[in-house]
Amino acid sequence: MLRNKVAVVGAGIGGIACAIRLASNYEVTVYEASHAPGGKLAEIKNGDYRFDAGPSLFTMPELVEELFLLHSKKASDYFKYERLETLCKYFYEDGTVLNAYADPAAFAKEVNALFNENAESIIKYLKSCHEKYRLTADLFLFNSLSLKSFATSKAFEGLKSIHKLDIFSTLHQLNQARFNDPRLVQLFDRYATYNGSNPYATPGIMSIIPHLEYNMGAYIPDGGMYAIVKSLVKLAEELGVRFEYGRPVQKIVVHNKVATGLQVGGKVYLYDKVISNADIHHTYQVLLKGQKWPHRILKQPKSSSAMVFYWNMKGCFPELKLHNIFFSKDYKAEFEEIFSNNTISSDPTIYVNISSKHCAEDAPENCENWFVMINVPYNQGQDWAKLRKQARANIIQKLNRLLENNIEDYIDGEAYLDPVLIEERTASYGGALYGNSSNNKFAAFLRHANYSSDIKNLYFCGGSVHPGGGIPLCLLSAKIVSELITYD
């Protein structure tokens, strides 16, 4: 019996997950412009050093495991990971160093000792984060935004409890009202950056993000983050999914408002269903040229981007953990530079990820692989060569001061990533990491749906559409799309 054929545009984590979910009932082909899968979840090798190029935090591993369970596979045969005891180590300009322990009680005790903040207030805050998640996850994360989604008892409960969701205050206002010490406010404000937003503008409902780490846990895969991609591609191939690498899609073919296939290499291939895992701007501007555009959605303000330096470090730093944050002195000024002035602060908050702390094979013996990232605006024609040179100097100066060392003496090799390269490699509009920002209270409703309301048999997944960016949300977008296709 012939099976219906599905085409997936893009082998990002969402596209791979879609293929896996549909593989039992459909003949699935994934077209990827680059020569390797993963999209933003890629890897870089520089000599004897390996780096995860993009996402470095792993939460909600059950969403990955579910893809194996769907096909009666044992996830641990493909993929292993461990839970972190310390989520992040924070360094402040006043010399304060805080270990954010994964256990809420231990974290609250640490905060109490360093900031004299009541430990119970921390536990209460994290419980409120959990409550927001409970009230909204089913509506905003696990289902497509549609009238049908709102006509459920869970949706009604969430809407009835809207006063608990803090959508009418900013994340910063919420945190400032909850905590006395500005250093703790800054720590919880930081979670706005998890979807490329501004804590002084994004609504307080974004406080659900700490719940994913403190209440649900953060993890590190054996072999680094790219191991997620490799394990899922292996599963997909075993299920019969075909990957076409180095085959950029030129056009989604539409006849009489029905998606009928793809144009690749000048040739048209027919499919019964088409899923775009590409950035939503690229999908409309390039792949659906001539079709009706959702202008209101595409014109929404964009999320921040990133500038990353990948450093081969000849030496080890025992005072650092897997995840490390070096905070700016003036957080508000930093975000004003990014979102209002479209440039980089001279005192940026620095994130240093060192996967070799847990994956020894990622760096030679007695060496470390440093992924050094700062938040920057998306590309709007800035002089990135100049900005990159300035940022590198400011980063090294700050790290030297806070670590009381000369960091540059240890750098034995370097690669970098900036918004221009992110856009070139992933077709993300302006290199924005998460598509639209969440800098207003209606942001959740202003992401593109997972299906086309104008073109039949056309669906969308990935970080630029509902429910948003980041590995868990991309996996959830794949789940939503597969359910929509099955329902249709």
Side-chain angles (χ1 to χ4, degrees):
M1 179 178 174
L2 290 175
R3 297 193 298 170
N4 284 351
K5 297 167 68 177
V6 174
V8 180
V9 183
I13 193 76
I16 299 168
C18 272
I20 290 170
R21 287 184 172 276
L22 296 170
S24 292
N25 299 312
Y26 295 88
E27 182 183 316
V28 186
T29 304
V30 182
Y31 292 89
E32 170 56 47
S34 72
H35 293 278
K40 295 186 181 75
L41 188 55
E43 70 176 356
I44 291 175
K45 293 182 179 178
N46 191 1
D48 295 327
Y49 296 76
R50 192 203 70 86
F51 302 85
D52 290 307
S56 56
L57 180 69
F58 185 35
T59 57
M60 300 181 76
E62 65 272 15
L63 296 178
V64 175
E65 292 188 331
E66 184 178 286
L67 297 171
F68 295 93
L69 294 174
L70 283 172
H71 299 280
S72 301
K73 303 280 188 178
K74 192 176 178 181
S76 59
D77 288 342
Y78 296 77
F79 176 67
K80 292 180 174 62
Y81 57 90
E82 62 178 294
R83 186 166 184 155
L84 298 177
E85 293 183 3
T86 302
L87 299 175
C88 190
K89 192 167 184 178
Y90 293 96
F91 297 79
Y92 294 85
E93 281 287 352
D94 65 359
T96 302
V97 178
L98 181 147
N99 286 290
Y101 297 113
D103 176 64
F107 173 61
K109 184 178 179 180
E110 174 86 347
V111 169
N112 175 255
L114 286 175
F115 299 154
N116 197 30
E117 192 82 46
N118 187 289
E120 185 56 37
S121 68
I122 302 298
I123 301 298
K124 187 177 179 181
Y125 180 84
L126 293 176
K127 285 181 178 177
S128 73
C129 297
H130 182 190
E131 180 67 359
K132 289 188 184 77
Y133 180 85
R134 186 187 72 81
L135 291 169
T136 61
D138 191 67
L139 178 60
F140 291 106
L141 302 183
F142 289 86
N143 287 289
S144 177
L145 283 180
S146 64
L147 291 176
K148 180 184 175 183
S149 301
F150 285 93
T152 65
S153 58
K154 286 187 177 180
F156 179 74
E157 183 186 5
L159 294 172
K160 186 176 68 174
S161 306
I162 196 168
H163 61 285
K164 296 181 180 179
L165 303 181
D166 295 306
I167 64 172
F168 299 109
S169 63
T170 67
L171 181 61
H172 175 73
Q173 288 169 340
L174 168 67
N175 293 333
Q176 195 173 41
R178 290 293 189 102
F179 305 117
N180 297 314
D181 196 299
R183 292 169 296 183
L184 188 58
V185 173
Q186 188 174 27
L187 188 155
F188 282 109
D189 279 357
R190 169 184 169 249
Y191 285 94
T193 66
Y194 280 42
N195 62 10
S197 299
N198 178 353
Y200 300 89
T202 200
I205 193 174
M206 291 302 166
S207 61
I208 66 172
I209 299 175
H211 165 68
L212 302 182
E213 289 188 26
Y214 288 97
N215 298 323
M216 297 180 71
Y219 304 82
I220 176 70
D222 290 359
M225 298 295 288
Y226 197 64
I228 301 171
V229 172
K230 290 193 287 189
S231 66
L232 292 182
V233 168
K234 181 181 178 183
L235 171 64
E237 289 176 337
E238 288 177 0
L239 297 171
V241 174
R242 191 167 80 250
F243 288 87
E244 297 278 352
Y245 299 116
R247 301 286 308 279
V249 174
Q250 297 163 317
K251 183 180 181 181
I252 295 173
V253 179
V254 179
H255 285 302
N256 297 323
K257 294 190 175 183
V258 178
T260 58
L262 301 177
Q263 180 180 313
V264 184
K267 184 178 178 181
V268 172
Y269 299 86
L270 299 180
Y271 290 94
D272 300 288
K273 309 281 185 183
V274 174
I275 303 167
S276 178
N277 181 220
D279 180 87
I280 197 66
H281 272 82
H282 178 80
T283 300
Y284 279 100
Q285 290 178 340
V286 177
L287 307 182
L288 290 171
K289 189 175 286 188
Q291 300 298 323
K292 181 181 176 182
W293 287 17
H295 290 286
R296 188 183 178 204
I297 292 174
L298 297 185
K299 287 181 178 179
Q300 289 300 307
K302 298 297 167 282
S303 78
S304 59
S305 185
M307 182 172 289
V308 186
F309 296 94
Y310 307 93
W311 288 340
N312 300 0
M313 299 294 284
K314 286 287 188 180
C316 292
F317 291 74
E319 68 270 38
L320 298 180
K321 298 288 188 181
L322 171 66
H323 302 293
N324 308 273
I325 289 288
F326 298 82
F327 274 126
S328 62
K329 188 174 183 178
D330 189 337
Y331 217 30
K332 187 173 185 179
E334 180 182 358
F335 284 97
E336 284 178 354
E337 291 288 76
I338 295 170
F339 287 99
S340 298
N341 301 329
N342 300 317
T343 190
I344 304 174
S345 169
S346 59
D347 176 29
T349 293
I350 304 165
Y351 167 60
V352 179
N353 172 259
I354 310 172
S355 66
S356 60
K357 294 283 187 184
H358 287 259
C359 309
E361 66 276 12
D362 284 354
E365 189 176 358
N366 298 320
C367 298
E368 293 180 343
N369 62 335
W370 281 27
F371 168 109
V372 183
M373 189 196 88
I374 60 173
N375 295 306
V376 303
Y378 72 97
N379 179 35
Q380 297 163 71
Q382 299 95 321
D383 185 342
W384 288 106
K386 181 181 178 181
L387 289 173
R388 186 171 65 250
K389 183 178 179 181
Q390 292 172 342
R392 187 183 188 279
N394 290 332
I395 288 169
I396 288 175
Q397 183 183 54
K398 187 180 184 76
L399 292 177
N400 285 351
R401 183 173 67 255
L402 294 178
L403 293 176
E404 297 181 346
N405 210 325
N406 191 350
I407 297 302
E408 202 154 21
D409 289 345
Y410 296 83
I411 301 174
D412 192 45
E414 178 177 291
Y416 71 87
L417 190 67
D418 62 17
V420 173
L421 289 175
I422 293 171
E423 186 170 21
E424 286 178 0
R425 294 174 184 177
T426 67
S428 301
Y429 183 81
L433 294 181
Y434 305 94
N436 294 346
S437 74
S438 296
N439 288 336
N440 67 71
K441 63 179 69 73
F442 303 111
F445 302 96
L446 295 172
R447 298 190 80 85
H448 198 289
N450 301 106
Y451 60 92
S452 173
S453 56
D454 297 307
I455 302 171
K456 189 178 179 181
N457 295 339
L458 177 60
Y459 305 85
F460 307 92
C461 71
S464 65
V465 299
H466 177 75
I471 295 171
L473 299 191
C474 287
L475 292 173
L476 286 173
S477 76
K479 185 173 185 176
I480 291 168
V481 166
S482 66
E483 289 172 351
L484 287 171
I485 288 177
T486 302
Y487 176 79
D488 288 347

